[in-house]
Amino acid sequence: PASVERLPLSSLVIRRMAELKRLLRQGDGKAARELLTLMPHFFKNAPDAFLLGYRAADLLALLSCAYRVVLLSRGKKVVVSVFNPEEKRHGFFSDRTCVQISAPDGPFYVTSVREQLRAMNHTVVNLIHPIIPVSWDSGGRLRKLGESNLPGRQSLIHIEIDRVDDRAELGRIDR
């Protein structure tokens, strides 16, 4: 059998996604089901290098962080989360700073955020921007996600920049 190093990149990505899906299926409850539904949307256009740069368990933790940002938006507001991933707090470690944004879909989010980060002298290393079909109830609770016939669209942006350890700078990015 061929060693893992000799497999084509796409085969390695397929394996990583299958591993992630297996981890998601081990969970139970509504959140686990929604994460399983969110997964293909979130990672659909992610670069291979991004997917292979994390273990499946790290991708699950990263996806969970993004899911929380979606829930906090309640379908009505822009929510920004800026953090330096720590194993204990976020379930994964990265030497980069993560910026996650969720809002009802609208024009120019990615361009605006990327331009703002550039103006602050931060280089975007990775960027994922799925638009997720969603349905919210009148109280702002997520009813469903992922089905193409749902009435709403939620923009979810995950950006990684070179790590920022300065708390004041993290606060500036978060604004």
Side-chain angles (χ1 to χ4, degrees), residues 151-171:
R153 295 291 178 267
Q154 191 74 16
S155 185
L156 179 56
I157 304 169
H158 173 84
I159 297 173
E160 294 179 0
I161 59 176
D162 292 329
R163 192 170 185 94
V164 176
D165 289 315
D166 181 293
R167 286 186 183 267
E169 184 63 11
L170 287 171

Side-chain angles (χ1 to χ4, degrees), residues 24-85:
L24 284 165
R25 286 193 173 126
Q26 290 173 4
D28 60 353
K30 182 180 180 193
R33 286 190 306 277
E34 288 179 344
L35 283 170
L36 192 55
T37 302
L38 178 60
M39 184 197 100
H41 294 278
F42 187 73
F43 295 116
K44 179 180 177 181
N45 295 315
D48 289 354
F50 172 83
L51 297 171
L52 296 173
Y54 287 107
R55 299 170 302 158
D58 297 337
L59 292 172
L60 173 56
L62 191 149
L63 181 65
S64 297
C65 289
Y67 173 70
R68 280 191 288 281
V69 172
V70 168
L71 294 179
L72 288 172
S73 79
R74 302 180 69 83
K76 297 177 181 151
K77 61 183 178 178
V78 176
V79 174
V80 179
S81 175
V82 179
F83 61 97
N84 289 326

Side-chain angles (χ1 to χ4, degrees), residues 131-164:
I131 309 286
I132 303 155
V134 291
S135 173
W136 302 91
D137 70 16
S138 60
R141 288 177 296 275
L142 185 64
R143 291 181 57 221
K144 282 186 169 183
L145 65 87
E147 299 170 15
S148 61
N149 64 338
L150 294 175
R153 295 291 178 267
Q154 191 74 16
S155 185
L156 179 56
I157 304 169
H158 173 84
I159 297 173
E160 294 179 0
I161 59 176
D162 292 329
R163 192 170 185 94
V164 176

